[in-house]
Amino acid sequence: MPTTTDPLVSTEWLAAHLNDSNVKIVDATFKMPGVMPLPKDDYLAAHIPGAVFFDVDAVSDHSNPLPHMFPSAEQFGRDAGALGIGNDDTVVVYDSGGWVAAPRAWWMFLSFGKDVRVLDGGLKKWVAEGRKVESGQVTPKPSTFKATFDARRTRSMQQLVENLATRAEQVIDARASERYQGKVAEPRPGLRSGHIPGSLSLPYNNLFDAATGTMKPLDELRAAFSGAGVKLDAPIVTSCGSGVSAAVLTLALYRLGVENPALYDGSWTEWGAADGPPVATGPA
């Protein structure tokens, strides 16, 4: 494991440690429902050698009607172990390079007691550098992963409803500005448009370089949060459409030294339901 506390790891580092027996690589690519080809098919077509596929929808609470909600510690441990991941392994998570789901997988591992790394630039940067990929399914040797859930790392709708009155925590919305302001319909049918009252807007794609797939430097991240009205020394909760891209903000905050931000797991899919709590529209 790199000695830095930065959750990011470079393609150069991964290439140098690709064949280390204790380095486990995880492809956590995710797409919105209906977007083809499916993430698993992309993985089967091309992935970093040895990478296993982390299905954000599969590693979730299947008893909850909301999409990909956090599973129990028991289930997460079982699912991680089935991917060949043990508590002592060095885990590097990546996605296709659009900074959507690798940070979500990273936050899930961290919430269940395992510090892992995110590949800066993901598969996009890896391929752009001419590095080797492989196709087909990787079948890992099962391992044992003991998971312990840290409830401080997530928030429920009830907690955020209570926060409407106290404003004890800043809520930052990672969705596109048009969705935050309620100018466009939500991609998931049946949801209201708008945002959680009092929440701030910082679209997650403002935090990385679209051309290279790498996350922006720390000074630019700090400026982005400051420009959105976020106080880094006060409690923060990140939110988005369904609790995935919010983790991009969480990752950036962690890199800036904010080590205890929380993530609203249900996010707008829960809050924006027809019978949900109050909704605000317009700019922050």
Side-chain angles (χ1 to χ4, degrees):
M1 182 72 72
T3 55
T4 175
T5 56
D6 192 329
L8 296 187
V9 69
S10 68
T11 51
E12 291 79 11
W13 185 93
L14 183 57
H17 296 272
L18 197 60
N19 297 316
D20 291 6
S21 60
N22 69 322
V23 172
K24 304 298 173 67
I25 308 168
V26 177
D27 184 322
T29 298
F30 169 82
K31 297 179 182 179
M32 288 291 290
V35 178
M36 303 297 283
L38 295 172
K40 181 61 179 292
D41 292 333
D42 284 342
Y43 161 81
L44 292 172
H47 55 259
I48 294 175
V52 295
F53 185 70
F54 183 99
D55 188 332
V56 173
D57 287 318
V59 186
S60 68
D61 179 2
H62 301 293
S63 69
N64 194 315
L66 294 169
H68 39 256
M69 295 289 284
F70 267 53
S72 65
E74 180 185 14
Q75 183 192 337
F76 188 86
R78 185 172 62 248
D79 291 345
L83 292 175
I85 297 170
N87 294 88
D88 295 330
D89 287 324
T90 295
V91 179
V92 179
V93 185
Y94 75 89
D95 55 35
S96 60
W99 283 101
V100 178
R104 164 73 183 203
W106 160 77
W107 194 243
M108 290 180 74
F109 272 103
L110 201 59
S111 299
F112 287 108
K114 174 66 176 170
D115 188 13
V116 305
R117 293 292 185 264
V118 176
L119 181 64
D120 195 17
L123 185 64
K124 178 175 183 173
K125 187 171 187 287
W126 184 271
V127 171
E129 292 169 347
R131 302 186 190 276
K132 182 182 178 182
V133 295
E134 64 181 17
S135 60
Q137 179 74 37
V138 172
T139 304
K141 179 183 178 182
S143 187
T144 299
F145 187 95
K146 181 174 175 54
T148 304
F149 180 57
D150 183 352
R152 299 173 302 171
R153 298 190 186 276
T154 62
R155 291 290 181 273
S156 67
M157 183 170 73
Q158 183 56 41
Q159 287 173 307
L160 287 197
V161 168
E162 293 169 359
N163 191 62
L164 291 178
T166 66
R167 297 295 170 92
E169 296 183 312
Q170 304 167 94
V171 180
I172 318 174
D173 193 322
R175 295 175 300 155
S177 177
E178 293 79 8
R179 291 173 65 187
Y180 171 88
Q181 294 190 40
K183 291 182 176 180
V184 296
E186 282 293 301
R188 286 184 171 84
L191 298 181
R192 296 172 293 167
S193 297
H195 59 267
I196 297 171
S199 62
L200 304 170
S201 175
L202 179 53
Y204 76 93
N205 57 359
N206 288 356
L207 303 182
F208 65 88
D209 185 333
T212 64
T214 57
M215 186 166 271
K216 290 182 177 179
L218 296 183
D219 59 340
E220 293 184 31
L221 296 180
R222 194 172 288 106
F225 282 101
S226 176
V230 178
K231 298 177 181 178
L232 295 179
D233 58 351
I236 295 171
V237 179
T238 62
S239 179
C240 60
S242 64
V244 176
S245 61
V248 180
L249 272 59
T250 308
L251 176 65
L253 288 165
Y254 208 83
R255 295 189 67 213
L256 290 170
V258 182
E259 295 193 2
N260 293 301
L263 184 144
Y264 174 24
D265 200 18
S267 282
W268 196 253
T269 304
E270 182 176 40
W271 192 283
D275 59 350
V279 166
T281 56

mmCIF file of all heavy atoms in Angstrom, residues 3-37:
data_model
loop_
_atom_site.group_PDB
_atom_site.id
_atom_site.type_symbol
_atom_site.label_atom_id
_atom_site.label_comp_id
_atom_site.label_asym_id
_atom_site.label_seq_id
_atom_site.Cartn_x
_atom_site.Cartn_y
_atom_site.Cartn_z
ATOM 1 N N THR A 3 2.339 4.825 0.933
ATOM 2 C CA THR A 3 2.435 5.377 2.281
ATOM 3 C C THR A 3 1.578 6.629 2.462
ATOM 4 O O THR A 3 1.239 6.994 3.571
ATOM 5 C CB THR A 3 3.890 5.724 2.605
ATOM 6 O OG1 THR A 3 4.391 6.611 1.596
ATOM 7 C CG2 THR A 3 4.752 4.462 2.632
ATOM 8 N N THR A 4 1.201 7.281 1.381
ATOM 9 C CA THR A 4 0.397 8.488 1.483
ATOM 10 C C THR A 4 -0.996 8.172 2.020
ATOM 11 O O THR A 4 -1.509 7.080 1.838
ATOM 12 C CB THR A 4 0.277 9.170 0.110
ATOM 13 O OG1 THR A 4 -0.611 10.287 0.222
ATOM 14 C CG2 THR A 4 -0.318 8.224 -0.931
ATOM 15 N N THR A 5 -1.596 9.158 2.692
ATOM 16 C CA THR A 5 -2.965 8.986 3.163
ATOM 17 C C THR A 5 -3.977 9.326 2.079
ATOM 18 O O THR A 5 -5.174 9.158 2.284
ATOM 19 C CB THR A 5 -3.217 9.888 4.383
ATOM 20 O OG1 THR A 5 -2.917 11.250 4.022
ATOM 21 C CG2 THR A 5 -2.350 9.476 5.562
ATOM 22 N N ASP A 6 -3.515 9.831 0.947
ATOM 23 C CA ASP A 6 -4.398 10.130 -0.170
ATOM 24 C C ASP A 6 -5.036 8.830 -0.665
ATOM 25 O O ASP A 6 -4.332 7.860 -0.948
ATOM 26 C CB ASP A 6 -3.586 10.786 -1.298
ATOM 27 C CG ASP A 6 -4.470 11.402 -2.378
ATOM 28 O OD1 ASP A 6 -5.583 10.885 -2.616
ATOM 29 O OD2 ASP A 6 -4.041 12.395 -2.999
ATOM 30 N N PRO A 7 -6.369 8.788 -0.794
ATOM 31 C CA PRO A 7 -7.013 7.562 -1.262
ATOM 32 C C PRO A 7 -6.672 7.200 -2.713
ATOM 33 O O PRO A 7 -6.876 6.043 -3.118
ATOM 34 C CB PRO A 7 -8.512 7.877 -1.132
ATOM 35 C CG PRO A 7 -8.596 9.038 -0.210
ATOM 36 C CD PRO A 7 -7.343 9.827 -0.426
ATOM 37 N N LEU A 8 -6.177 8.161 -3.488
ATOM 38 C CA LEU A 8 -5.876 7.891 -4.889
ATOM 39 C C LEU A 8 -4.542 7.179 -5.055
ATOM 40 O O LEU A 8 -3.598 7.404 -4.298
ATOM 41 C CB LEU A 8 -5.851 9.184 -5.703
ATOM 42 C CG LEU A 8 -7.149 9.969 -5.834
ATOM 43 C CD1 LEU A 8 -6.966 11.123 -6.815
ATOM 44 C CD2 LEU A 8 -8.303 9.078 -6.283
ATOM 45 N N VAL A 9 -4.470 6.343 -6.069
ATOM 46 C CA VAL A 9 -3.222 5.698 -6.449
ATOM 47 C C VAL A 9 -3.070 5.883 -7.955
ATOM 48 O O VAL A 9 -4.059 5.928 -8.698
ATOM 49 C CB VAL A 9 -3.227 4.208 -6.048
ATOM 50 C CG1 VAL A 9 -4.214 3.406 -6.873
ATOM 51 C CG2 VAL A 9 -1.847 3.604 -6.149
ATOM 52 N N SER A 10 -1.848 6.017 -8.423
ATOM 53 C CA SER A 10 -1.603 6.308 -9.836
ATOM 54 C C SER A 10 -1.570 5.037 -10.676
ATOM 55 O O SER A 10 -1.369 3.926 -10.163
ATOM 56 C CB SER A 10 -0.271 7.041 -9.992
ATOM 57 O OG SER A 10 0.807 6.163 -9.670
ATOM 58 N N THR A 11 -1.755 5.217 -11.973
ATOM 59 C CA THR A 11 -1.627 4.085 -12.891
ATOM 60 C C THR A 11 -0.202 3.535 -12.861
ATOM 61 O O THR A 11 0.003 2.321 -13.009
ATOM 62 C CB THR A 11 -1.993 4.505 -14.326
ATOM 63 O OG1 THR A 11 -1.261 5.694 -14.666
ATOM 64 C CG2 THR A 11 -3.482 4.782 -14.464
ATOM 65 N N GLU A 12 0.768 4.413 -12.648
ATOM 66 C CA GLU A 12 2.161 3.968 -12.576
ATOM 67 C C GLU A 12 2.368 3.030 -11.386
ATOM 68 O O GLU A 12 3.031 2.002 -11.495
ATOM 69 C CB GLU A 12 3.105 5.172 -12.460
ATOM 70 C CG GLU A 12 3.196 6.034 -13.723
ATOM 71 C CD GLU A 12 2.029 6.983 -13.888
ATOM 72 O OE1 GLU A 12 1.236 7.144 -12.927
ATOM 73 O OE2 GLU A 12 1.904 7.581 -14.972
ATOM 74 N N TRP A 13 1.790 3.399 -10.248
ATOM 75 C CA TRP A 13 1.931 2.552 -9.058
ATOM 76 C C TRP A 13 1.276 1.192 -9.291
ATOM 77 O O TRP A 13 1.856 0.154 -8.983
ATOM 78 C CB TRP A 13 1.304 3.228 -7.833
ATOM 79 C CG TRP A 13 1.535 2.437 -6.575
ATOM 80 C CD1 TRP A 13 2.567 2.591 -5.692
ATOM 81 C CD2 TRP A 13 0.750 1.347 -6.079
ATOM 82 N NE1 TRP A 13 2.471 1.665 -4.676
ATOM 83 C CE2 TRP A 13 1.364 0.892 -4.891
ATOM 84 C CE3 TRP A 13 -0.411 0.712 -6.519
ATOM 85 C CZ2 TRP A 13 0.857 -0.164 -4.132
ATOM 86 C CZ3 TRP A 13 -0.921 -0.355 -5.777
ATOM 87 C CH2 TRP A 13 -0.287 -0.781 -4.596
ATOM 88 N N LEU A 14 0.060 1.213 -9.861
ATOM 89 C CA LEU A 14 -0.644 -0.056 -10.074
ATOM 90 C C LEU A 14 0.106 -0.941 -11.063
ATOM 91 O O LEU A 14 0.217 -2.155 -10.867
ATOM 92 C CB LEU A 14 -2.067 0.197 -10.561
ATOM 93 C CG LEU A 14 -2.922 -1.063 -10.759
ATOM 94 C CD1 LEU A 14 -3.009 -1.872 -9.471
ATOM 95 C CD2 LEU A 14 -4.313 -0.701 -11.259
ATOM 96 N N ALA A 15 0.626 -0.337 -12.123
ATOM 97 C CA ALA A 15 1.380 -1.125 -13.107
ATOM 98 C C ALA A 15 2.590 -1.799 -12.463
ATOM 99 O O ALA A 15 2.923 -2.950 -12.780
ATOM 100 C CB ALA A 15 1.824 -0.225 -14.262
ATOM 101 N N ALA A 16 3.226 -1.104 -11.529
ATOM 102 C CA ALA A 16 4.409 -1.657 -10.872
ATOM 103 C C ALA A 16 4.065 -2.768 -9.884
ATOM 104 O O ALA A 16 4.916 -3.607 -9.564
ATOM 105 C CB ALA A 16 5.159 -0.537 -10.150
ATOM 106 N N HIS A 17 2.820 -2.781 -9.407
ATOM 107 C CA HIS A 17 2.417 -3.760 -8.390
ATOM 108 C C HIS A 17 1.325 -4.712 -8.894
ATOM 109 O O HIS A 17 0.700 -5.410 -8.096
ATOM 110 C CB HIS A 17 1.927 -3.029 -7.145
ATOM 111 C CG HIS A 17 2.992 -2.224 -6.464
ATOM 112 N ND1 HIS A 17 3.829 -2.757 -5.503
ATOM 113 C CD2 HIS A 17 3.375 -0.935 -6.621
ATOM 114 C CE1 HIS A 17 4.670 -1.830 -5.095
ATOM 115 N NE2 HIS A 17 4.423 -0.716 -5.756
ATOM 116 N N LEU A 18 1.159 -4.747 -10.209
ATOM 117 C CA LEU A 18 0.066 -5.515 -10.809
ATOM 118 C C LEU A 18 0.112 -6.993 -10.428
ATOM 119 O O LEU A 18 -0.932 -7.629 -10.258
ATOM 120 C CB LEU A 18 0.109 -5.356 -12.331
ATOM 121 C CG LEU A 18 -1.145 -5.733 -13.120
ATOM 122 C CD1 LEU A 18 -2.332 -4.883 -12.690
ATOM 123 C CD2 LEU A 18 -0.894 -5.555 -14.619
ATOM 124 N N ASN A 19 1.298 -7.531 -10.288
ATOM 125 C CA ASN A 19 1.433 -8.966 -10.029
ATOM 126 C C ASN A 19 1.697 -9.303 -8.564
ATOM 127 O O ASN A 19 1.971 -10.466 -8.235
ATOM 128 C CB ASN A 19 2.547 -9.541 -10.911
ATOM 129 C CG ASN A 19 2.218 -9.419 -12.386
ATOM 130 O OD1 ASN A 19 1.098 -9.682 -12.810
ATOM 131 N ND2 ASN A 19 3.197 -8.994 -13.184
ATOM 132 N N ASP A 20 1.615 -8.304 -7.691
ATOM 133 C CA ASP A 20 1.773 -8.584 -6.265
ATOM 134 C C ASP A 20 0.619 -9.461 -5.789
ATOM 135 O O ASP A 20 -0.550 -9.180 -6.084
ATOM 136 C CB ASP A 20 1.781 -7.280 -5.458
ATOM 137 C CG ASP A 20 3.028 -6.448 -5.714
ATOM 138 O OD1 ASP A 20 3.818 -6.829 -6.602
ATOM 139 O OD2 ASP A 20 3.202 -5.424 -5.029
ATOM 140 N N SER A 21 0.927 -10.498 -5.051
ATOM 141 C CA SER A 21 -0.111 -11.461 -4.657
ATOM 142 C C SER A 21 -1.176 -10.865 -3.739
ATOM 143 O O SER A 21 -2.317 -11.334 -3.717
ATOM 144 C CB SER A 21 0.541 -12.666 -3.963
ATOM 145 O OG SER A 21 1.239 -12.245 -2.792
ATOM 146 N N ASN A 22 -0.817 -9.812 -2.999
ATOM 147 C CA ASN A 22 -1.791 -9.244 -2.071
ATOM 148 C C ASN A 22 -2.504 -8.018 -2.629
ATOM 149 O O ASN A 22 -3.287 -7.375 -1.925
ATOM 150 C CB ASN A 22 -1.108 -8.864 -0.750
ATOM 151 C CG ASN A 22 -0.155 -7.691 -0.913
ATOM 152 O OD1 ASN A 22 0.525 -7.584 -1.928
ATOM 153 N ND2 ASN A 22 -0.093 -6.819 0.086
ATOM 154 N N VAL A 23 -2.240 -7.673 -3.896
ATOM 155 C CA VAL A 23 -2.925 -6.554 -4.539
ATOM 156 C C VAL A 23 -4.139 -7.087 -5.299
ATOM 157 O O VAL A 23 -4.004 -7.905 -6.207
ATOM 158 C CB VAL A 23 -1.990 -5.777 -5.496
ATOM 159 C CG1 VAL A 23 -2.775 -4.750 -6.309
ATOM 160 C CG2 VAL A 23 -0.890 -5.084 -4.697
ATOM 161 N N LYS A 24 -5.312 -6.650 -4.902
ATOM 162 C CA LYS A 24 -6.559 -7.073 -5.536
ATOM 163 C C LYS A 24 -7.169 -5.876 -6.272
ATOM 164 O O LYS A 24 -7.307 -4.794 -5.692
ATOM 165 C CB LYS A 24 -7.533 -7.621 -4.496
ATOM 166 C CG LYS A 24 -6.959 -8.777 -3.664
ATOM 167 C CD LYS A 24 -6.621 -9.977 -4.536
ATOM 168 C CE LYS A 24 -5.884 -11.067 -3.753
ATOM 169 N NZ LYS A 24 -6.696 -11.704 -2.718
ATOM 170 N N ILE A 25 -7.516 -6.078 -7.527
ATOM 171 C CA ILE A 25 -8.029 -5.000 -8.373
ATOM 172 C C ILE A 25 -9.516 -5.219 -8.604
ATOM 173 O O ILE A 25 -9.950 -6.336 -8.910
ATOM 174 C CB ILE A 25 -7.272 -4.954 -9.716
ATOM 175 C CG1 ILE A 25 -5.763 -4.907 -9.461
ATOM 176 C CG2 ILE A 25 -7.700 -3.743 -10.530
ATOM 177 C CD1 ILE A 25 -4.934 -5.157 -10.701
ATOM 178 N N VAL A 26 -10.277 -4.148 -8.469
ATOM 179 C CA VAL A 26 -11.732 -4.234 -8.529
ATOM 180 C C VAL A 26 -12.273 -3.234 -9.549
ATOM 181 O O VAL A 26 -12.006 -2.034 -9.457
ATOM 182 C CB VAL A 26 -12.347 -3.946 -7.147
ATOM 183 C CG1 VAL A 26 -13.867 -3.957 -7.224
ATOM 184 C CG2 VAL A 26 -11.857 -4.956 -6.115
ATOM 185 N N ASP A 27 -13.028 -3.736 -10.525
ATOM 186 C CA ASP A 27 -13.708 -2.896 -11.513
ATOM 187 C C ASP A 27 -15.114 -2.641 -11.001
ATOM 188 O O ASP A 27 -15.924 -3.563 -10.886
ATOM 189 C CB ASP A 27 -13.748 -3.613 -12.870
ATOM 190 C CG ASP A 27 -14.354 -2.760 -13.989
ATOM 191 O OD1 ASP A 27 -15.327 -2.030 -13.723
ATOM 192 O OD2 ASP A 27 -13.872 -2.856 -15.135
ATOM 193 N N ALA A 28 -15.423 -1.382 -10.662
ATOM 194 C CA ALA A 28 -16.727 -1.035 -10.096
ATOM 195 C C ALA A 28 -17.531 -0.152 -11.046
ATOM 196 O O ALA A 28 -18.345 0.672 -10.615
ATOM 197 C CB ALA A 28 -16.545 -0.330 -8.757
ATOM 198 N N THR A 29 -17.334 -0.321 -12.341
ATOM 199 C CA THR A 29 -18.032 0.504 -13.331
ATOM 200 C C THR A 29 -19.547 0.397 -13.164
ATOM 201 O O THR A 29 -20.088 -0.684 -12.926
ATOM 202 C CB THR A 29 -17.625 0.084 -14.751
ATOM 203 O OG1 THR A 29 -16.211 0.296 -14.899
ATOM 204 C CG2 THR A 29 -18.352 0.903 -15.791
ATOM 205 N N PHE A 30 -20.228 1.529 -13.292
ATOM 206 C CA PHE A 30 -21.679 1.610 -13.095
ATOM 207 C C PHE A 30 -22.264 2.545 -14.142
ATOM 208 O O PHE A 30 -21.627 3.512 -14.545
ATOM 209 C CB PHE A 30 -21.980 2.128 -11.687
ATOM 210 C CG PHE A 30 -23.424 2.494 -11.447
ATOM 211 C CD1 PHE A 30 -24.353 1.530 -11.133
ATOM 212 C CD2 PHE A 30 -23.832 3.820 -11.540
ATOM 213 C CE1 PHE A 30 -25.683 1.869 -10.899
ATOM 214 C CE2 PHE A 30 -25.161 4.171 -11.319
ATOM 215 C CZ PHE A 30 -26.085 3.188 -10.995
ATOM 216 N N LYS A 31 -23.489 2.253 -14.563
ATOM 217 C CA LYS A 31 -24.208 3.141 -15.476
ATOM 218 C C LYS A 31 -25.644 3.294 -14.994
ATOM 219 O O LYS A 31 -26.152 2.454 -14.242
ATOM 220 C CB LYS A 31 -24.206 2.571 -16.901
ATOM 221 C CG LYS A 31 -22.839 2.429 -17.539
ATOM 222 C CD LYS A 31 -22.945 1.830 -18.928
ATOM 223 C CE LYS A 31 -21.593 1.632 -19.580
ATOM 224 N NZ LYS A 31 -21.697 1.030 -20.928
ATOM 225 N N MET A 32 -26.285 4.344 -15.440
ATOM 226 C CA MET A 32 -27.701 4.529 -15.125
ATOM 227 C C MET A 32 -28.514 3.411 -15.768
ATOM 228 O O MET A 32 -28.131 2.874 -16.823
ATOM 229 C CB MET A 32 -28.186 5.887 -15.628
ATOM 230 C CG MET A 32 -27.668 7.063 -14.829
ATOM 231 S SD MET A 32 -28.357 7.128 -13.162
ATOM 232 C CE MET A 32 -30.061 7.563 -13.518
ATOM 233 N N PRO A 33 -29.662 3.055 -15.166
ATOM 234 C CA PRO A 33 -30.509 2.003 -15.746
ATOM 235 C C PRO A 33 -30.869 2.304 -17.192
ATOM 236 O O PRO A 33 -31.198 3.443 -17.549
ATOM 237 C CB PRO A 33 -31.752 2.034 -14.852
ATOM 238 C CG PRO A 33 -31.270 2.574 -13.552
ATOM 239 C CD PRO A 33 -30.213 3.573 -13.897
ATOM 240 N N GLY A 34 -30.783 1.293 -18.037
ATOM 241 C CA GLY A 34 -31.147 1.438 -19.443
ATOM 242 C C GLY A 34 -30.012 1.841 -20.352
ATOM 243 O O GLY A 34 -30.158 1.799 -21.584
ATOM 244 N N VAL A 35 -28.877 2.249 -19.796
ATOM 245 C CA VAL A 35 -27.721 2.638 -20.613
ATOM 246 C C VAL A 35 -26.965 1.369 -21.017
ATOM 247 O O VAL A 35 -26.577 0.571 -20.168
ATOM 248 C CB VAL A 35 -26.790 3.601 -19.860
ATOM 249 C CG1 VAL A 35 -25.573 3.941 -20.707
ATOM 250 C CG2 VAL A 35 -27.536 4.871 -19.464
ATOM 251 N N MET A 36 -26.796 1.212 -22.316
ATOM 252 C CA MET A 36 -26.150 0.008 -22.826
ATOM 253 C C MET A 36 -24.797 0.346 -23.453
ATOM 254 O O MET A 36 -24.585 1.456 -23.901
ATOM 255 C CB MET A 36 -27.059 -0.659 -23.861
ATOM 256 C CG MET A 36 -28.434 -0.996 -23.328
ATOM 257 S SD MET A 36 -28.427 -2.201 -21.992
ATOM 258 C CE MET A 36 -28.152 -3.702 -22.931
ATOM 259 N N PRO A 37 -23.853 -0.609 -23.558
ATOM 260 C CA PRO A 37 -23.944 -1.947 -22.983
ATOM 261 C C PRO A 37 -23.885 -1.914 -21.462
ATOM 262 O O PRO A 37 -23.491 -0.913 -20.857
ATOM 263 C CB PRO A 37 -22.736 -2.658 -23.581
ATOM 264 C CG PRO A 37 -21.751 -1.578 -23.867
ATOM 265 C CD PRO A 37 -22.570 -0.393 -24.270
#
